[in-house]
Amino acid sequence: MEETLLSRRLVAVWFADIVGYSARAAEDETGALRLVEILQTLSREIVRRYGGRVVKFLGDAVLAEFPSTDLAVRAAVALNIEYADKSIASGGVHRLRIGVHVGDVAVGADGDLYGDAVNVAARIQGAAEPGQVVLSRDVWQQLRSRREFRFQSLGDRSLKGIAPTTLYVVTLEEKAAKPTPHRIAQANQTTEERKKAIRSVAVLPFADLSAEGDQEYFCDGVAEEILNALARVGGLHVPARTSCFAFRGTSVDARAIGERLGVEALLEGSIRKARNRVRIIVQLVDARHGDHLWSERFDRELEDIFAIQDEIAHSVITGLGLSLTSREERRLLTSSTENVQAYEFYLRGRKLFQKWTRQNIEFARQMFERAIKLDPDFAGAWAGLATAHVHLFSWKECEPDLQKARDASMRALALDPELAEAHVAAGQGLSMDQRYAEAAAEFEKAIELDPALFDAYYYYARSCFKAGDLENALQLFRRAQSVRPEDYQPSALISLVLRQLGRRDEARGADQIALASVTRHLDLNPDDARAYSLGAGVLGRLGHVERAKQWSEQALSLASDDDAVIYNAACALAVLGEIDRALDALELAIDAGLTGGDWVPRDPDWERLRDHPRFQALAKRLSRS
């Protein structure tokens, strides 16, 4: 019987447990049970009072979720105070330890929560002293400006399975730990008030209204530039292009799109381009009610396209009541060319990259080269060219591609040392050459320059996995997932790393989250062969045998000559125990151009076949000379 797929949401959660419960139970079982009764009674009452939900009780502990960090912390403090008072009746004052965190969780059909946010809250609770409410850095950042809260830093703490992080003890006057009144109903809010309450926006693909209908690449490029700019703004959640652009040409209601993407607002628009003129109309739509909050029209010369993109991004940011740091302002929208024709070739290259086949990457390479020919100082085009050569090398390990990738990334960095994408391209090339320490330095620089850049975390994590640095790979895949929660790839690869580390129970939970993520992605992108092939392995590990086979076959039917898709299908067959078919598929993937002599031997999907003579022979073929 197949398991129910999990939905996801962003929540504040806390774990609370009774200090010294085991010792008390050994001495006085009746008194200890009374302590648990007090905890459960108070938890139900206080959590409900603060608009939260008790997820479950685990012996002498409780897990609860809340719609905001403010309510979660107030409830935790209130529970801490009231429990100390009520516990006196059991024969002395007893204390709680409470850990609070905020993050993305998966919700089971029974209401249980899964995911890193829950695990982190539990680890924080374990680090608390008796009577303390301890917050993660993420919670502290959201509340640090609130005058009624008092914080004491505990410094950096190393928690099991979690990267070192700063923890904070919070205190709050008892009279301040009361529930805040509910906000005025949104229907009674002014437009300005509603805009300023929005903290999540999806940028939909802009419609092509040009007479010839041949400007989709340009419309997508403009929309994606704005999307990427907004994604760099702290405090604003912006889903990735893959999810947003899946609604191209649909007639789905704004409220339905908002619900499926988990956002409060949509930015949509249209572009009409004729000769050297461009008209762009954009509007911000309230995804909760479906009505418009703001719109604007730009009639300009085509050469003004960079200024228009900048104006749109700033208009959205200002309208939402957000402010930019000086660093965010510098990163927001920076074009490394003023040549509009070169920029158009660059956008064509970016568009081709999205289809992610060998042929399209080759075409993208040609577009970037044409952009560079028009503007030899176009750093973004050089970075795109470097990335194209990296991926062409990954398919056929042709040494000239690797050298061209090095040369292009060096040129991009010489032109713009602060171009994060160029550092990512350089890191990928170094990783392909198994120069992992040098690659790490490039990825770290990219993250420093653009902490919201998904590719920096994702490809850094892959590099660490290939190098055998599993703990860092795990943390980086998790950071990639936090930057882009809707992307299915980090979720699937987190499970892979956990299994390699021998953490099977955690890996199963990660697989459940990955399956939910892949399923949501395929719901919007039903022709994504890679998603089917990775999802097939996840299904196999979760015991959904027939569905795993169906997804493998679907992946191969969509991309029968793609070595990466064939390889992932081979992994799924290996997990299902179909040894001969798995090895046949692995050999077919190698024949199709698969490389990865430093990845495949570490892939736990092949665990049962590591000693198989044929697998060893195929792995040897993959090993670089």
Side-chain angles (χ1 to χ4, degrees), residues 289-325:
H289 302 285
D291 50 347
H292 295 166
L293 299 174
W294 164 81
S295 64
E296 193 162 344
R297 188 175 80 175
F298 301 85
D299 281 301
R300 304 280 183 82
E301 298 291 328
L302 186 58
E303 63 189 21
D304 292 332
I305 187 62
F306 309 114
I308 297 172
Q309 291 173 163
D310 187 73
E311 283 183 47
I312 294 170
H314 276 93
S315 295
V316 174
I317 293 163
T318 303
L320 300 183
L322 296 168
S323 58
L324 298 174
T325 65

Side-chain angles (χ1 to χ4, degrees), residues 199-214:
R199 289 297 176 268
S200 54
V201 178
V203 181
L204 302 183
F206 287 7
D208 176 17
L209 300 184
S210 301
E212 293 78 12
D214 59 350

Side-chain angles (χ1 to χ4, degrees), residues 2-58:
E2 295 194 354
E3 300 172 20
T4 304
L5 299 181
L6 308 180
S7 62
R8 297 187 72 84
R9 59 173 176 253
L10 184 70
V11 296
V13 294
W14 51 243
F15 258 107
D17 81 344
I18 302 169
V19 178
Y21 175 80
S22 298
R24 179 66 188 271
E27 298 173 359
D28 177 11
E29 184 177 355
T30 301
L33 292 174
R34 176 61 181 149
L35 290 175
V36 172
E37 290 175 0
I38 294 170
L39 174 64
Q40 294 187 357
T41 301
L42 284 176
S43 296
R44 292 189 182 98
E45 175 188 340
I46 292 171
V47 170
R48 183 170 56 250
R49 186 193 312 164
Y50 286 82
R53 178 178 73 91
V54 172
V55 178
K56 60 184 175 182
F57 294 105
L58 303 94

Side-chain angles (χ1 to χ4, degrees), residues 330-344:
R330 288 196 304 272
R331 294 200 327 258
L332 188 63
L333 268 169
T334 55
S335 173
S336 51
T337 186
E338 294 181 0
N339 186 312
V340 174
Q341 190 177 2
Y343 183 64
E344 290 199 58

Side-chain angles (χ1 to χ4, degrees), residues 179-323:
T180 56
H182 288 294
R183 292 178 179 175
I184 299 172
Q186 281 190 332
N188 295 327
Q189 288 180 316
T190 66
T191 298
E192 288 304 311
E193 288 172 335
R194 287 165 61 190
K195 282 196 295 184
K196 287 181 168 56
I198 289 170
R199 289 297 176 268
S200 54
V201 178
V203 181
L204 302 183
F206 287 7
D208 176 17
L209 300 184
S210 301
E212 293 78 12
D214 59 350
Q215 297 297 311
E216 184 178 287
Y217 75 92
F218 185 81
C219 298
D220 281 4
V222 171
E224 188 174 2
E225 292 279 7
I226 295 167
L227 184 156
N228 290 338
L230 295 177
R232 296 185 175 107
V233 179
L236 186 64
H237 170 61
V238 182
R241 179 201 61 78
T242 307
S243 298
C244 297
F245 284 25
F247 291 95
R248 181 196 311 279
T250 66
S251 57
V252 181
D253 180 75
R255 287 168 291 189
I257 295 176
E259 183 176 347
R260 291 174 72 176
L261 294 179
V263 296
E264 300 158 307
L266 309 175
L267 185 71
E268 57 185 20
S270 63
I271 297 181
R272 184 185 300 274
K273 186 157 76 78
R275 298 184 180 178
N276 65 333
R277 297 288 298 179
V278 62
R279 170 179 291 177
I280 301 179
I281 300 175
V282 289
Q283 56 190 12
L284 189 67
V285 179
D286 189 331
R288 298 161 297 186
H289 302 285
D291 50 347
H292 295 166
L293 299 174
W294 164 81
S295 64
E296 193 162 344
R297 188 175 80 175
F298 301 85
D299 281 301
R300 304 280 183 82
E301 298 291 328
L302 186 58
E303 63 189 21
D304 292 332
I305 187 62
F306 309 114
I308 297 172
Q309 291 173 163
D310 187 73
E311 283 183 47
I312 294 170
H314 276 93
S315 295
V316 174
I317 293 163
T318 303
L320 300 183
L322 296 168
S323 58

